[in-house]
Amino acid sequence: MTSATKTAGVGAPARPGTAAGGGALAGTGTLVRFALRRDRVRLPVWILALLLGTLSTANSYAELYGTPEDRANAVETMGSPAGLAMSGPRHYLDDYTSGAMLGHQMLGFTAVLVGLMSVLVITRHTRAEEETGRAELLRSTVVGRHAHLAAALSVAALANLVLGLLLALGLGGLGIDGVDAGGSLLYGAAHAAAGLVFAGVAAVTAQLTAHARGATGTALAVIGAAYVLRAAGDSGESGALSWLSPIGWAQRTYVYVDDDWWPLLLCLALAAGCAATGFALSTRRDVGAGIRPQKPGRPVASPALGTPLGLALRLHRGMLAGFGAGLFLMGAMYGSILGQAEDMLKDIDQLQEALERIGGTGIAEAFASMVMVVVAVVAAVYVVMAALRARAEETAGRAEPLLATGLSRGRWAGSHLAVAMGGGTLALLVAGLGFGIAGAASTGDGVLVPRLVGAALAYAPALWVTVGVAAVLFGWLPRASAVAWIVPVYAFVVGYLGQILRFPGWMNDLSPFGHVPRLPAADLDWTPLLVLTLVAAGLVWLGLAGLRRRDLETK
């Protein structure tokens, strides 16, 4: 039993008067406290990041679109099908105040992030507990069959409600014209309702597969499908497809415009239905197993699985495929509006100044360079997850049997790092390809395809440095491995928002992404790319050296 479990008191003997097997929900309250203790850092970081990001965006909209003329120009831009696909339903444009702009352009995007938070909470405290064997250990005490799922849903619900309340209070206190208290309360409630829906979805997917990553990936695919349905519906004439998406329901509250609360009833009904389905499915499977039967596999493994790299590729292939598809679609969405970039941004002074600092022969090139930063940051999220997979294998106890053979630590960890570096480069390639194909169709310039692919691949050395940072932390400070997430977060803040908010140049220099030439607007300079590659190689070597000198940690 782990020390954290002992501290929470979950594994303690039954108290007097408490019968073993005291109901399917026995021990739920204790598990809720245990989960909150384990997530005492994760959840506050999630909530504060979403809150501060929303508040800063609301202030930015008030500054960038401070006059009716500015907002009228924004209406013309966002009224195109591509603009509506990236934002929300057309009805928001009828009275485009700062509040309506926030609901139109931000609600759908942040609902995805809230859904991601909810999914990770559910899978972490349900399927991951079963996969590691802790759930079976706890069930040998006074813990009911449904206690883990009930506790996870309770924690996710609490996190979403706290986020919704803070959003309501924060936005209502900004004093921005068009952002009133009633609309702010609905804005926060819409986020909480969307989060509850995807928590319910994760409660179902956690029953389907025996692996936490499979449950998470399936739930994230549902979030992606919901966003795509919303985008397809809002860009069409009828908007019917948006009514198939819980994100579309949240946006159809028309917050700060009509303030309709009733669409949130659909979210609550779906969330309750999914949660009930999750409980029902959990009774139809064994602990540690999934509803979906595992394939028996081949009688003889392929030769590739006999190598460290082949095994690492097998473990990473699902996540790599998901990120690759997502980045291709992301690039295609941005590329579809590349031909309208000049009209979209011509009246926004701060963005114009930011694009002028990037350089280039036109606004479209500068806009593409700014978008590449976002693409690279999303790819960096993948490489951090892939690079830290070795840490997950170590703590789960799966690395120790492999290393008990003739496999060296360097080859084992190096295979995961190699897949992270190669997979990140491949993700950049497909993102640039999607951006280039859609951009060429939007502008009629076929030369954009190779140029945008090259612009995306220029960020590969920065991704490799990110992998190197994760390798150093994993090798020398394994319990601080999560600090590697600072690299993509910082890169987004200073590389994208910093261009608009005029951060000092030295802040950009602290990020590996800040040294990449801003193609296609800037000229290609090989020197920083070569230096970043050498730095990445040094960091990887240093990380593997640290791994060879420390003991393995197995929970």
Side-chain angles (χ1 to χ4, degrees):
M1 186 181 303
T2 64
S3 60
T5 304
K6 294 177 181 177
T7 302
V10 178
R15 296 170 181 165
T18 303
L25 297 177
T28 300
T30 303
L31 289 177
V32 168
R33 294 192 298 273
F34 184 31
L36 290 174
R37 184 182 183 278
R38 292 178 62 195
D39 287 351
R40 63 188 181 275
V41 175
R42 286 182 176 87
L43 285 180
V45 168
W46 266 105
I47 292 171
L48 286 176
L50 291 168
L51 174 65
L52 295 177
T54 300
L55 296 182
S56 63
T57 301
N59 280 319
S60 298
Y61 285 158
E63 294 176 4
L64 294 174
Y65 305 94
T67 66
E69 291 77 13
D70 293 334
R71 292 191 290 272
N73 291 328
V75 168
E76 293 182 5
T77 299
M78 303 309 298
S80 65
L84 294 172
M86 295 184 64
S87 52
R90 188 183 296 274
H91 182 56
Y92 280 97
L93 303 179
D94 295 342
D95 185 15
Y96 217 40
T97 63
S98 296
M101 189 175 297
L102 184 67
H104 187 225
Q105 299 187 30
M106 281 294 293
L107 182 52
F109 173 70
T110 50
V112 171
L113 298 179
V114 174
L116 175 60
M117 177 187 72
S118 300
V119 166
L120 294 178
V121 168
I122 296 297
T123 55
R124 171 175 165 79
H125 295 296
T126 55
R127 176 51 63 183
E129 292 295 285
E130 294 187 40
E131 191 174 355
T132 58
R134 289 190 292 264
E136 188 171 8
L137 177 64
L138 293 177
R139 286 192 182 185
S140 66
T141 65
V142 189
V143 174
R145 181 180 185 89
H146 295 320
H148 276 94
L149 181 55
L153 287 169
S154 299
V155 172
L158 179 61
N160 282 289
L161 291 175
V162 170
L163 174 62
L165 180 60
L166 291 177
L167 285 173
L169 294 175
L171 291 171
L174 289 178
I176 297 175
D177 185 31
V179 181
D180 56 18
S184 298
L185 183 61
L186 178 56
Y187 189 86
H191 283 78
L196 291 175
V197 168
F198 294 118
V201 169
V204 174
T205 62
Q207 316 307 320
L208 302 180
T209 176
H211 301 287
R213 288 181 178 268
T216 302
T218 305
L220 294 182
V222 174
I223 295 177
Y227 188 85
V228 170
L229 285 172
R230 195 281 311 160
D234 290 341
S235 61
E237 291 295 330
S238 65
L241 288 176
S242 297
W243 287 103
L244 301 177
S245 167
I247 298 177
W249 300 342
Q251 285 192 317
R252 271 158 177 73
T253 57
Y254 296 118
V255 60
Y256 299 117
V257 179
D258 294 337
D259 287 342
D260 292 331
W261 284 81
W262 69 266
L264 298 188
L265 297 177
L266 299 175
C267 293
L268 296 178
L270 180 58
C274 288
T277 302
F279 283 116
L281 291 177
S282 68
T283 63
R284 299 178 178 272
R285 64 176 182 85
D286 294 329
V287 177
I291 294 292
R292 186 177 60 190
Q294 293 182 327
K295 296 180 180 180
R298 300 177 181 178
V300 179
S302 65
L305 286 179
T307 65
L309 184 60
L311 177 60
L313 280 171
R314 178 67 174 268
L315 294 174
H316 288 260
R317 64 181 183 180
M319 184 170 63
L320 177 58
F323 268 90
L327 279 168
F328 181 85
L329 292 176
M330 180 181 178
M333 288 181 66
Y334 277 116
S336 66
I337 63 173
L338 191 59
Q340 307 169 30
E342 186 168 355
D343 293 334
M344 290 173 60
L345 307 175
K346 64 182 179 180
D347 296 312
I348 307 176
D349 294 336
Q350 285 183 269
L351 284 176
Q352 285 277 5
E353 293 174 5
L355 294 176
E356 288 174 3
R357 288 193 295 272
I358 293 175
T361 58
I363 290 180
E365 285 188 346
F367 175 73
S369 300
M370 183 177 286
V371 168
M372 284 301 175
V373 176
V374 182
V375 170
V377 167
V378 175
V381 171
Y382 161 75
V383 301
V384 171
M385 294 178 67
L388 296 182
R389 178 62 188 265
R391 172 64 178 166
E393 295 292 301
E394 177 189 3
T395 56
R398 292 187 290 267
E400 195 169 5
L402 292 176
L403 297 176
T405 65
L407 178 63
S408 67
R409 294 188 181 191
R411 291 182 63 202
W412 167 71
S415 63
H416 288 282
L417 298 179
V419 172
M421 298 170 79
T425 306
L426 180 62
L428 288 176
L429 174 64
V430 297
L433 190 63
F435 198 3
I437 293 174
S442 175
T443 62
D445 185 4
V447 180
L448 280 176
V449 177
R451 292 187 66 193
L452 292 179
V453 168
L457 290 176
Y459 282 92
L463 291 186
W464 301 340
V465 172
T466 305
V467 173
V469 172
V472 170
L473 291 169
F474 169 61
W476 294 93
L477 299 169
R479 296 192 178 186
S481 297
V483 176
W485 286 106
I486 291 178
V487 179
V489 172
Y490 185 83
F492 176 76
V493 171
V494 301
Y496 182 70
L497 297 180
Q499 293 288 337
I500 301 172
L501 302 178
R502 300 180 183 178
F503 287 177
W506 63 265
M507 292 185 66
N508 198 43
D509 293 337
L510 296 177
S511 169
F513 296 85
H515 298 277
V516 177
R518 304 295 293 270
L519 303 176
D523 295 328
L524 177 61
D525 184 0
W526 287 100
T527 302
L529 302 182
L530 293 175
V531 171
L532 288 172
T533 302
L534 293 175
V535 170
L539 290 173
V540 170
W541 176 86
L542 182 62
L544 294 178
L547 177 62
R548 296 187 187 98
R549 286 167 172 76
R550 69 170 176 86
D551 294 332
L552 291 180
E553 296 183 5
T554 302
K555 293 182 180 179

